[in-house]
């Protein structure tokens, strides 16, 4: 470089204002595309810019007409499948259907929820009470219904009980049992899920004329169980153990009593 190069700051020219800023240009604060300041901004600036934006948006909406802004316009509801705008009547019908669907529905209780036989017994008991209420208090003759019930009752140790069982059979040799669903419509039973057959199976032990194997629950063969033992033999082992315990206790008692004879 030439030796006479001047490295000092530029001099003020004649006629230039005295307050001329000769420092490098300052960097402006960075802003977003909408003019919002970024970086380190104080709270007052943030509040002021937000108010300015709200005022500008409000003024812009006020300059628009009702048709362009949608002011005072009715809500347009479209069909999701076709995109067609629904009428007011169709919208009201859909809203009513939605409200009806949201309303809690009372669950229909099935017929067998409280027991079909128990419900039948309750109904028969009410009918019997209503009939008794019409009968006179004093009676001189034997009631035919009570007499028939006493005659048909089975008693333990009755030597003529087999005759009563024989009377239950019809002329075709079939076994007739009282139906627990008598008086109930088949449609109501099907809707409730009642699938228990009311006839005695052909292979039931009741048709063999002999007693079925005992069980701990005392369940007898009928329309709900054919009497066939399909267990693993636990019932027989249980009764065998119970009999052995009873025999041992009885033998011990007899031995204890023999000591005092």
């Amino acid at each position: 470089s030439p030796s006479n190069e001047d490295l000092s700051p530029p001099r003020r020219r004649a006629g230039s204002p005295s307050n001329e800023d000769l420092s490098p240009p300052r960097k402006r604060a960075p802003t977003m595309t909408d003019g919002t300041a970024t970086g380190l901004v104080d709270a007052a600036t943030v509040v002021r810019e937000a108010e300015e934006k709200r005022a500008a948006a409000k003024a812009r909406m006020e300059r628009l007409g009702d048709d362009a802004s949608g002011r005072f316009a009715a809500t347009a509801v479209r069909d999701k499948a076709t995109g067609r705008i629904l009428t007011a009547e169709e919208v009201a019908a859909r809203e009513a259907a939605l409200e009806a669907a949201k309303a809690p529905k009372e669950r229909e209780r099935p017929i067998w929820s409280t027991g079909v036989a128990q419900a039948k017994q309750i109904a028969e008991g009410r009918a019997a009470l209503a009939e008794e209420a019409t009968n006179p208090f004093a009676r001189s003759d034997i009631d035919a219904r009570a007499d028939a019930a006493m005659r048909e009752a089975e008693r333990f140790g009755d030597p003529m009980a087999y005759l009563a069982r024989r009377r239950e059979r019809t002329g075709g040799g079939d076994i007739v049992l009282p139906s627990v669903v008598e008086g109930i419509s088949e449609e109501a039973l099907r809707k409730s899920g009642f699938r228990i057959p009311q006839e005695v199976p052909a292979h039931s032990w009741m048709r063999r004329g002999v007693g079925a194997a005992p069980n701990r629950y005392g369940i007898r063969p009928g329309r709900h169980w054919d009497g066939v033992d399909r267990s693993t033999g636990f019932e027989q082992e249980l009764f065998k153990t119970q009999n052995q315990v009873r025999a041992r206790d009885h033998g011990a008692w007899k031995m204890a009593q023999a000591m005092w004879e």
Side-chain angles (χ1 to χ4, degrees):
S1 61
S3 58
N4 58 354
E5 184 178 357
D6 190 0
L7 299 179
S8 61
R11 274 70 172 176
R12 293 179 181 177
R13 295 181 179 180
S16 61
S18 60
N19 57 353
E20 184 181 358
D21 189 1
L22 300 178
S23 61
R26 272 74 170 175
K27 292 183 179 179
R28 295 184 178 180
T31 58
M32 293 189 290
T33 55
D34 59 349
T36 306
T38 59
L40 274 175
V41 183
D42 55 353
T45 304
V46 174
V47 173
R48 177 178 53 78
E49 291 180 347
E51 292 178 352
E52 291 176 356
K53 285 184 178 181
R54 284 195 293 268
K58 184 177 180 180
R60 185 169 57 255
M61 292 298 296
E62 289 178 352
R63 288 193 299 268
L64 294 176
D66 294 344
D67 296 337
S69 62
R71 192 183 296 113
F72 309 118
T75 304
V77 181
R78 294 182 179 272
D79 188 3
K80 293 183 178 180
T82 61
R84 181 178 60 87
I85 297 179
L86 303 178
T87 61
E89 291 78 8
E90 293 175 343
V91 173
R94 288 199 175 190
E95 291 179 355
L98 288 176
E99 291 295 333
K102 292 180 181 179
K105 297 181 180 179
E106 184 178 357
R107 184 179 179 183
E108 184 179 357
R109 299 187 64 182
I111 297 177
W112 45 263
S113 60
T114 56
V116 178
Q118 289 80 354
K120 185 178 180 181
Q121 290 176 1
I122 293 173
E124 291 177 353
R126 291 176 179 174
L129 288 176
E131 184 179 355
E132 290 293 337
T134 59
N135 294 333
F137 181 76
R139 299 180 185 178
S140 58
D141 298 334
I142 298 176
D143 187 8
R145 186 179 57 185
D147 183 65
M150 294 294 292
R151 290 176 181 272
E152 293 177 0
E154 293 188 9
R155 296 170 179 83
F156 178 76
D158 186 3
M160 308 297 288
Y162 70 96
L163 295 177
R165 297 192 190 97
R166 186 177 298 174
R167 286 198 304 267
E168 294 178 355
R169 297 179 180 270
T170 60
D174 196 6
I175 299 176
V176 178
L177 292 178
S179 176
V180 297
V181 295
E182 185 179 359
I184 304 175
S185 65
E186 296 182 359
E187 183 69 20
L189 291 173
R190 184 167 60 255
K191 287 183 178 180
S192 299
F194 190 86
R195 298 290 186 272
I196 300 177
Q198 296 303 300
E199 61 275 357
V200 179
H203 59 280
S204 175
W205 278 53
M206 296 182 67
R207 301 181 184 277
R208 302 182 184 183
V210 296
N215 54 80
R216 52 185 155 162
Y217 303 108
I219 301 176
R220 299 176 57 186
R223 61 170 62 91
H224 300 164
W225 178 48
D226 55 6
V228 179
D229 186 7
R230 298 180 176 85
S231 66
T232 59
F234 177 78
E235 301 289 338
Q236 288 76 10
E237 292 295 330
L238 176 64
F239 287 115
K240 181 180 178 181
T241 303
Q242 291 178 353
N243 293 335
Q244 290 177 353
V245 170
R246 292 194 188 97
R248 183 188 61 192
D249 294 344
H250 186 66
W253 177 81
K254 291 178 64 176
M255 183 176 294
Q257 293 298 323
M259 296 174 59
W260 303 101
E261 292 180 356

